[in-house]
Amino acid sequence: MKVYYSWFAYTVVLIAGIVMTICSPVLIFLMFKIEIDIWTVIFCDMFFVFILISGIEFTMMAVRRLFINRAVLEFGEEGVYINYGAFRFKRLFIPKEELIKLVRYNPYINDNIVRWDKGSFVFYLKNDDILKSLGKFTNFTINMNFKTLGIRLNDCIVPWNILDSVEYYFKTVYKIKFER
């Protein structure tokens, strides 16, 4: 079972952002070469500048989500695999004997309404050997006192049915408690 965001969707966003970023300046330049009313040129140029800014924003968002903040959780029968890293992808393995419990922390609780698309998974571990092997420059929240490893899911939408599957998987395969 894997929990991750779609590579395909963000690849399409990256391509669209690059195309928008490249085509917008060309169209802005071509609008000055056409013999039309000045107000039409100004309106079209403002529209193309908006497309240029949106294209740059789409490109930066897709690059960040595809390469920099990438984290993929894979729950196997022998343990949890976490693929992470910016440009050189690393793989962390946590054996199921090492896990005490998994907590899904959701900081967005307002008036008993929980936003299901944000939050983090916090793994409680028996030993801190795995935490010591991680570098300082990761997107994980590491607490050596409580032996916890937190993985933010800000770039990963996790629907309720996936959380139900993770909870069932942890109870049956790992025999470990999963708290929401």
Side-chain angles (χ1 to χ4, degrees), residues 50-86:
F50 174 73
I51 290 176
L52 174 68
I53 293 169
S54 298
I56 292 170
E57 200 170 302
F58 284 170
T59 304
M60 289 174 22
M61 175 192 66
V63 165
R64 190 191 72 181
R65 291 185 180 179
L66 284 174
F67 300 110
I68 297 172
N69 287 343
R70 179 177 175 251
V72 177
L73 299 175
E74 184 176 352
F75 302 112
E77 291 191 19
E78 62 276 352
V80 178
Y81 293 98
I82 303 171
N83 298 321
Y84 68 98

Side-chain angles (χ1 to χ4, degrees), residues 14-80:
L14 179 64
I15 292 170
I18 290 172
V19 168
M20 289 168 62
T21 304
I22 292 172
C23 291
S24 296
V26 173
L27 293 174
I28 290 170
F29 178 72
L30 289 177
M31 285 305 295
F32 286 111
K33 298 294 182 183
I34 299 174
E35 298 284 331
I36 53 175
D37 184 26
I38 187 70
W39 293 108
T40 307
V41 171
I42 291 173
F43 174 74
C44 291
D45 283 343
M46 286 176 28
F47 178 71
F48 292 139
V49 166
F50 174 73
I51 290 176
L52 174 68
I53 293 169
S54 298
I56 292 170
E57 200 170 302
F58 284 170
T59 304
M60 289 174 22
M61 175 192 66
V63 165
R64 190 191 72 181
R65 291 185 180 179
L66 284 174
F67 300 110
I68 297 172
N69 287 343
R70 179 177 175 251
V72 177
L73 299 175
E74 184 176 352
F75 302 112
E77 291 191 19
E78 62 276 352
V80 178

